[in-house]
Amino acid sequence: FVYFRKVKIKIYVVLNETVPCVRLLNATHQIGCQSSISGDTGVLHVLETESDLDWILSSGPHPPYMVIMETAFFNRSVMMRMKNSSRVAGVAVIISKTGLADNFSPHTTCPNQNTGVYSESYGSDLANCNGTVWNPLGNGLSYEDFSFPVFALKDENQTQVLRKCYEDHNQRVNGSAPQYPLCAMQLFSHMHAVTDTVTCMRRTDLQNRFSINPEVLCDPLSDFNVWTSTRPLNNSAKGHAADESVVIAATRLDGRSFFWEQAPAAEGTVSGIVTLLATIQALYPVTQEAPPPRNIFFSFFQGEAFDYIGSSKMVYDMEKNDFVIDMNNVHSMLEIGQVGLRSGRSLWMHSDPVSRQNKSVDTEVSEEEGKLSLFSHALSRSQPLPPSSFQRFLRARRIPGLVLADHNTSFTNRYYESMYDDAENLNVTYPPGLTPDEQLVYETDAAKSLAEVATLVARSLYLQAGGEEKNLNNITADPKIVSHMTSTNTHTHTLTLTLSLSLSLSPSLSLSLSHTHRHMTSSHTPPVTRFVQYILANLTGTVTNLTESQCQNPSELSTENKDLFSYFWVSGPASVNGTREPFCVRASVRLSKAVSPAFELLEYGSRNYSTWTESRWKSIRARIFLVASRELEVMHILIKNLIVSMIFILIYNNACLSYFTPKRQNKLYTAFFFFLHI
């Protein structure tokens, strides 16, 4: 066994730093990529010129090909030509900024167009992005179904190994075809689910009922929303909250791209997260010292990229009296959209023209616009809302609300829902020579801009909640804290939130933050959800003198109230000598489920709620090796078969001799069989 393992290591070079495109399904179809059950194999060819593409798709003599491409060729035109060719076994994309186009958005031109508020019964002339195409650069690549595997290559060293293998064995010389042995690649990403969510869930349900060893084929996309409020809400009391009027401030937590878990979403999501967190940092202390009449409810929604999973679940729970408030408690709503690429100091206030036909709603929205008018511009009342969580609230009740964004019509973001919507896209830059610690405290222009937006939002919310204007000067977002939250990892070009706001997690609560992503998943809670939860606890919580056991079981203490607060045992900031003093934090920060109501209702073909699921798989891996010609492989098979046949005949004859041959044998006969055995 050890010998064969060593042989395998010598034959194959395993590529570890790869990211697959996986299969997703909804009520009507499947999207994404997959390999055959035994993996797909092809001869490596690096796509660098148009002639390389012609070689792969038509003239190359060694199909199928495994295509290695730079960013410049990863576009819809090239991918669709490969999709329609039988000569492509798979694609591996080298993630780099070399040759990056001026724009790349694999999302659709009209995000979430079927699950927003606009439909035949509500603003029919505004449905399906009529009049306003929000993402005109969208090429829809993420919503195509590829029958071959597509991987992203993240490691530069392994990329060089691939290139060397190609140059040594596969590169054309003077236009002539390379000779065997050739460098080949094998990709494994077989998906269990097929067709659509309805089919997948039905098959999974049947297996759960009748199979001894049931196998789940797909899972609903799910996670948690994160929320808190300036006044604690009783988490055990569901339904209408007496004497509570709530102003909701919201943003989204998730993003997506073509590849699994590669969703930096800097402008698309992180700009909103950071702005709302900075808003809370500026606003919360004032609301405790001079509480406004209305409660301010902060919510971070998960799964919004997939037909508003998080917001639709919260609204559904409110309507079913299964949440701490209901829709009648909601006074108004302010949502922070994409705000990181504003031109100058301008922002745009988007409102719903249909609900504003109601006089009271229009009056309230106009007042809200006035509170934000310092740096913001109101839009024409004929323009619909951009894709936003607010649309799901409007489907339940016509409440006043605005969506704040850096675009007046189509998105400013040129890399919407792609892996290139990163720190560089958000213009987070540092002077050369700064250490990572120095970058944390350096106030970038992006941080100053977001802090300015957060200050505007915080003051507007305070007034919207009924607070007095005399307290507004005490509400200012700190650019240094925004810098903390927008620190960029220059090695991975992935924008990450940081927990260096003095809240350090103990080992029992610590999270792996090396792959901080904002991709909605079916298998585990993304770190960004816990990220926001603990940052909120730090910004709004109170340090208590509870012991660790008391912190973990506060219900045993008459002085504590687990219905109003969550309790976090944290290790505390590191001292000069590296030691930490743990303590207990009390905060009104909560998690609530973010899973589509369609799966609670068992309506897998629902038209009202998200039906997105993610296929399960057994193995995701990639490897390269040298492959011989077909003729040589056939010859090897024939020789192997001949050897096996001869061994079988020898064993059979030997057995016959043992049972039927007399002990006294002819010496020549014995010598003949001795020769055969040799």
Side-chain angles (χ1 to χ4, degrees), residues 391-419:
Q391 292 199 30
R392 293 302 302 195
F393 283 81
L394 285 175
R395 286 181 60 145
R397 183 167 166 260
R398 298 190 182 190
I399 60 174
L402 292 173
V403 176
L404 200 61
D406 57 18
H407 55 88
N408 59 345
T409 53
S410 58
F411 296 158
T412 308
N413 189 359
R414 296 174 294 121
Y415 300 104
Y416 180 72
E417 301 291 40
S418 84
M419 57 187 171

Side-chain angles (χ1 to χ4, degrees), residues 464-492:
Q464 187 71 4
E468 299 180 4
E469 288 191 22
K470 66 180 183 180
N471 296 315
L472 293 186
N473 289 335
N474 298 325
I475 302 175
T476 304
D478 187 352
K480 287 192 184 304
I481 289 184
V482 176
S483 294
H484 276 291
M485 293 188 290
T486 55
S487 66
T488 179
N489 184 326
T490 56
H491 297 291
T492 62

Side-chain angles (χ1 to χ4, degrees), residues 38-83:
S38 57
D40 289 336
T41 304
V43 173
L44 274 183
H45 196 90
V46 177
L47 176 56
E48 296 176 311
T49 64
E50 192 67 28
S51 64
D52 288 320
L53 188 58
D54 293 335
W55 179 270
I56 292 165
L57 299 179
S58 57
S59 59
H62 307 303
Y65 286 99
M66 194 65 71
V67 183
I68 311 298
M69 66 169 65
E70 293 277 5
T71 300
F73 284 92
F74 184 56
N75 56 56
R76 181 178 179 84
S77 174
V78 172
M79 290 298 294
M80 293 306 291
R81 288 178 66 181
M82 292 185 180
K83 177 182 177 179

